[in-house]
Amino acid sequence: MLKKLYLFLLFVAINTAAWAQQNLDIHFNALGFLDNREYKAFIPRSRTYSGTRLALDLGWNIDSVNRFVVGMNGIHEFGAKPYFLKVNPVAYYEYHGENWRFNAGMFPREGLLSDYPRSILNDTLRYYRPNVEGLLTRYTDEHFTETVWLDWVSRQTATDREQFLFGFSGKFKPSLSGMFYLSHYFMMLHDAGAEIADPNHPLGDNGAAQIKLGMNLTKLTGLDSLSIEAGGMMSLERMNRDIGFQNHAGFVAAAYFSYKRIALFDEFYAGQGQHVIYGDSYYLKKLYNRLDVIYTPFLFKNIKGQFVFSFHQSPAHLNDNQQAFRIVVDLGRKKLVNFN
């Protein structure tokens, strides 16, 4: 009897300690954007994207590494009716340990997949597809980071096609004090078709990969950041099972410079035209360069506002340009209730 009492008291103590670690928090994030694109090379893409995104969620922190989050993320495009063009639910489980991270559900892509090159995942995704719907896992240590993910795009019905994205990306830094690193990115869209087969639109796959060698030269300068990288890009596409994959390859290079509130980011491509459905259309060109001039006038603890002036050069179209202003307000996670 005494032994059972000890076991019961131990059980109560363990559960009481676990309950004492639990808390409820809240997170608010807002994105405002005005993005005007003057693209003579791609007239359908020559338009203005403008609006705001508001995201609010509640997090139940079970302990220091496990939590559940529920909320919403809605977009309003200026001048649109009804007010919210679309409201995306946010609902996911997250494990965040010392080296491992795991997400399952509908969770924000910002900060997880936002480092992908625009040639593979274009920059309008942050406006119109803010969430990943699926799974993501990441391993990180002093030298190595690798992220593997699955993002469901469309559930199969009699008329809707089964589509999902999957990919992986990572960076390897051989020496903590060295300047060299190796990065890679891969993404594939799998399109399995609808339940009622359409002979004009059979199964298809479309994706791309990049691998780049980079140098971080910041420590050799008085700048806030200076890095250059170069490597190769390949796209893969098949329109049905019988034809097989068609591959296109090219050379990519990029350079980034920042000092205080000014930054320059240049991207260059030369090679075969790349058709990547979720990538930037300019990579259909055999030669392309993009220069971003970035000015950050608003830089506070919870607010960041940037002007970005982009200059696109491709054969016969040297004057394409883009002007964007984006402001992000992120209040961080604020604790509401402690369960103790």
Side-chain angles (χ1 to χ4, degrees):
M1 182 68 183
L2 188 60
K3 184 177 179 180
K4 291 182 179 179
L5 178 60
Y6 285 152
L7 289 174
F8 174 75
L9 292 175
L10 179 62
F11 174 80
V12 171
I14 291 173
N15 281 272
T16 301
W19 182 257
Q21 296 181 56
Q22 298 185 27
N23 62 75
L24 187 70
D25 62 26
I26 189 170
H27 177 232
F28 174 79
N29 175 277
L31 166 68
F33 59 93
L34 180 62
D35 190 338
N36 178 56
R37 306 183 179 195
E38 301 292 340
Y39 294 172
K40 293 181 181 178
F42 298 99
I43 299 300
R45 301 292 180 93
S46 184
R47 56 162 293 188
T48 299
Y49 301 93
S50 60
T52 185
R53 272 202 169 274
L54 301 176
L56 182 69
D57 65 57
L58 294 173
W60 174 30
N61 298 283
I62 301 173
D63 51 36
S64 61
V65 295
N66 294 283
R67 66 174 175 152
F68 290 93
V69 178
V70 294
M72 56 172 283
N73 189 325
I75 181 174
H76 168 66
E77 286 191 295
F78 297 147
K81 295 179 182 179
Y83 186 82
F84 277 109
L85 173 70
K86 185 178 182 181
V87 176
N88 297 92
V90 174
Y92 64 97
Y93 161 77
E94 179 182 84
Y95 169 85
H96 200 168
E98 182 179 354
N99 298 111
W100 286 96
R101 177 173 190 155
F102 176 74
N103 284 30
M106 297 170 285
F107 50 92
R109 74 173 57 246
E110 192 71 23
L112 296 175
L113 301 180
S114 50
D115 64 332
Y116 262 73
R118 287 175 287 215
S119 56
I120 300 178
L121 293 176
N122 67 65
D123 54 4
T124 58
L125 290 174
R126 71 183 303 189
Y127 302 153
Y128 298 107
R129 189 171 171 77
N131 291 341
V132 174
E133 298 185 20
L135 304 169
L136 179 143
T137 187
R138 171 177 290 175
Y139 175 81
T140 304
D141 63 24
E142 293 181 334
H143 299 280
F144 182 71
T145 298
E146 186 70 22
T147 302
V148 181
W149 55 276
L150 170 70
D151 184 8
W152 212 267
V153 178
S154 175
R155 174 183 172 272
Q156 188 180 63
T157 67
T159 55
D160 295 327
R161 301 176 70 83
E162 178 183 279
Q163 296 178 329
F164 59 84
L165 297 162
F166 65 94
F168 55 85
S169 64
K171 179 181 286 189
F172 173 63
K173 188 175 182 181
S175 171
L176 295 179
S177 58
M179 62 177 128
F180 290 97
Y181 62 87
L182 186 69
S183 63
H184 65 272
Y185 303 89
F186 172 80
M187 179 278 298
M188 179 70 75
L189 168 67
H190 179 67
D191 184 349
E195 291 175 0
I196 301 176
D198 183 352
N200 297 317
H201 296 89
L203 177 147
D205 294 285
N206 179 276
Q210 279 193 20
I211 183 168
K212 295 181 287 188
L213 177 65
M215 288 191 298
N216 188 337
L217 304 171
T218 306
K219 293 181 180 179
L220 303 180
T221 71
L223 303 173
D224 294 329
S225 181
L226 178 63
S227 63
I228 58 174
E229 53 187 32
M233 175 177 175
M234 181 178 70
S235 62
L236 308 94
E237 183 174 34
R238 66 171 178 172
M239 301 307 295
N240 59 60
R241 290 186 175 95
D242 300 326
I243 294 177
F245 281 98
Q246 296 180 349
N247 303 324
H248 300 89
F251 169 79
V252 290
Y256 181 77
F257 150 95
S258 70
Y259 181 68
K260 295 185 178 180
R261 297 177 184 267
I262 299 292
L264 300 175
F265 182 39
D266 190 86
E267 294 177 289
F268 174 79
Y269 174 76
Q272 298 172 305
Q274 308 268 2
H275 178 234
V276 185
I277 292 175
Y278 276 83
D280 194 315
S281 297
Y282 273 101
Y283 287 83
L284 286 165
K285 304 288 186 178
K286 295 182 178 180
L287 191 65
Y288 170 58
N289 191 80
R290 171 176 178 158
L291 173 64
D292 290 345
V293 180
I294 306 165
Y295 173 56
T296 308
F298 309 113
L299 187 58
F300 306 102
K301 181 180 179 181
N302 302 114
I303 301 174
K304 183 177 182 179
Q306 286 186 326
F307 289 98
V308 182
F309 303 94
S310 302
F311 304 92
H312 307 263
Q313 298 91 38
S314 61
H317 298 285
L318 301 178
N319 298 317
D320 285 8
N321 59 85
Q322 178 181 350
Q323 311 85 39
F325 175 72
R326 304 183 187 97
I327 186 165
V328 176
V329 179
D330 193 328
L331 301 184
R333 305 206 72 86
K334 304 296 183 182
K335 191 177 296 183
L336 289 177
V337 180
N338 277 326
F339 300 119
N340 51 31

